Amino acid sequence: MAPAAAPGYLAVFAVPEFRFVFVAHLFSLLGVVVSELALTVLVYDLTRSPLLSSLTFALGFLPYLLGGTLLAGLTDRLPPRRILVVCDLVCAGCVALMVVPATPVAALLVLRCAVAVVSPVFNGTRMATLADILGEGELFVLGRSLLRIVSQSALLAGFAAGGVLLTLVPPRGALAVTAATFLVSALLLRLGTARRPARAAGKEAGGGLAGTWAVLRNRRVRALMLMFWVPPLFAVVPEALAAPYADEIGVSTAALGLLMCALPVGTIAGELFAGSFLSAGTRSRIVLPLAVTGVLPYLLYAPEPGVVLAAVALFLAGATGAYTLGLDAWFVAAVPEEQRGRAMTLMTAGMMTVQGVGMAGAGIAAEFAPVHAVVAGTGVLGTVCLLAAAVELRATERRDVADRHVTSR
């Protein structure tokens, strides 16, 4: 359990175990981001096929659903530290096999899928373990926020670092470096975190789809998952269409970089502000207003704006992501401890899957309509869907209050 400390990000770093988890997260993220870039370049070098090269990226999203649904039960039936270390070792082993010159392209894609399959198990277990390390209150929320901030920063720095690395070494050499980062992450988690028993030890825990349905039968948990899943489904649309939009308005590659960076920069700024200056009560009150209005800034795309106004829209949309701090607190409070690992694995798997769906849907829509119209339409459709999700979530809250009132009587 975390020691008593004043709220704030520095208080989270005062917990020794979290420091190990945080540094391991940095190494693991570098491994994921750089390996994705290096593998994409390697596949293109071997095949000269843009389709296979882009498929390498897509394979980072699609297997999440498989791993998240079929393997989620492991997160509560096995000791969490063991799961985290084994997942890192699996990733290191897969990337090491990619380094072998004799590995054919088909095997490279299969190995990429294997890394993606274990990723939701790793992420869900780590999220559940944070609640063990930091408790279920303020420190957990701030710890989750810090890991998300690092993830967003990795989008900005990781590809740049990968690009620089690829100018110094060939793609297989870059992959060898990323295999080492996964090994470092595994070592940090093994030495720096405590051994804890499985959460569902001695309790009935369904496996596979049956266990997944056991979690989703809880209406409150379902509604919370929807509120995690719906925003990224629509939020990724401008990023997916950034290159076509830059071409549509006739701007340079540098301007394209600004469009790609604006959303994650806004997300980082929003999370830092909410975590540093807002109380837990305030963060809870702004969850639904920020979530529902999260894609409204995309309406600024309607008149086909220039780069600056489009970047402002993306920054504002990213900043509304601060709602996740309050939502994290609701989620960990709603999920029974013995189902926490599975529920968090499902939640993270769903978030990655819907991003892949959103990107694919954006590309299809842009085949039939101008890019700026697609993004603006996303602002309308996304807001309607978010309103529906918010109504459902509010209904579950009222039901829980009524149930507690009846119980107290």
Side-chain angles (χ1 to χ4, degrees):
M1 294 295 291
Y9 288 119
L10 291 180
V12 180
F13 282 112
V15 182
E17 272 191 273
F18 177 78
R19 294 198 293 269
F20 278 90
V21 172
F22 181 82
V23 177
H25 183 55
L26 287 175
F27 278 97
S28 182
L29 265 178
L30 281 175
V32 170
V33 174
V34 176
S35 65
E36 285 180 350
L37 180 60
L39 184 59
T40 301
V41 173
L42 176 60
V43 169
Y44 184 74
D45 286 347
L46 292 174
T47 65
R48 313 310 295 179
S49 168
L51 174 60
L52 288 176
S53 180
S54 62
L55 181 61
T56 306
F57 265 120
L59 289 176
F61 290 98
L62 300 180
Y64 257 79
L65 185 60
L66 178 65
T69 53
L70 298 184
L71 303 179
L74 296 176
T75 58
D76 291 318
R77 295 204 298 270
L78 296 174
R81 186 177 68 179
R82 184 188 305 170
I83 295 174
L84 294 173
V85 172
V86 169
C87 285
D88 265 337
L89 292 177
V90 168
C91 291
C94 289
V95 175
L97 290 174
M98 296 176 190
V99 176
V100 178
T103 305
V105 172
L108 291 175
L109 297 180
V110 170
L111 291 168
R112 178 71 184 94
C113 285
V115 172
V117 165
V118 302
S119 290
V121 178
F122 179 87
N123 292 332
T125 303
R126 183 180 57 204
M127 183 176 172
T129 302
L130 275 187
D132 299 330
I133 294 172
L134 300 174
E136 300 177 8
E138 181 75 348
L139 290 186
F140 168 77
V141 171
L142 294 176
R144 276 279 295 152
S145 174
L146 278 170
L147 295 189
R148 273 196 303 268
I149 289 170
V150 171
S151 298
Q152 291 295 326
S153 300
L155 295 176
L156 302 175
F159 285 119
V164 171
L165 184 61
L166 286 170
T167 64
L168 303 175
V169 297
R172 294 190 192 275
L175 287 170
V177 172
T178 63
T181 66
F182 284 120
L183 291 175
V184 171
S185 174
L187 184 63
L188 288 168
L189 292 170
R190 175 63 181 81
L191 298 179
T193 60
R195 185 185 185 281
R196 293 178 173 86
R199 291 177 191 83
K203 302 176 183 177
E204 184 177 354
L209 296 178
T212 298
W213 177 240
V215 172
L216 296 178
R217 277 201 300 266
N218 186 320
R219 184 184 174 189
R220 174 72 171 171
V221 172
R222 285 201 312 271
L224 288 166
M225 284 192 179
L226 278 176
M227 193 53 71
F228 275 111
W229 293 342
V230 177
L233 173 65
F234 296 99
V236 298
V237 170
E239 286 187 301
L241 299 178
Y245 186 68
D247 182 65
E248 183 177 290
I249 61 176
V251 296
S252 65
T253 304
L256 173 60
L258 177 62
L259 292 176
M260 294 296 290
C261 291
L263 189 69
V265 168
T267 302
I268 293 169
E271 289 236 8
L272 284 174
F273 178 81
S276 301
F277 300 108
L278 301 183
S279 67
T282 301
R283 292 198 298 265
S284 182
R285 287 190 293 273
I286 64 175
V287 168
L288 294 184
L290 283 184
V292 168
T293 58
V295 293
L296 273 180
Y298 292 171
L299 293 178
L300 293 175
Y301 270 77
E304 196 177 27
V307 172
V308 173
L309 187 57
V312 169
L314 294 171
F315 179 88
L316 292 175
T320 64
Y323 79 90
T324 52
L325 280 80
L327 196 61
D328 278 335
W330 294 357
F331 192 73
V332 76
V335 178
E337 183 178 358
E338 65 272 14
Q339 294 180 333
R340 187 176 292 159
R342 183 192 295 270
M344 292 179 176
T345 299
L346 290 172
M347 186 266 284
T348 55
M351 287 180 66
M352 291 299 295
T353 301
V354 298
Q355 288 180 67
V357 172
M359 290 179 179
I364 293 171
E367 291 290 327
F368 302 96
V371 174
H372 71 278
V374 172
V375 178
T378 297
V380 176
L381 179 60
T383 301
V384 171
C385 293
L386 284 164
L387 278 169
V391 168
E392 170 64 9
L393 184 55
R394 186 63 76 188
T396 65
E397 183 180 2
R398 288 195 296 268
R399 191 191 67 174
D400 285 354
V401 171
D403 289 345
R404 287 195 297 268
H405 179 69
V406 170
T407 302
S408 66
R409 294 176 60 185

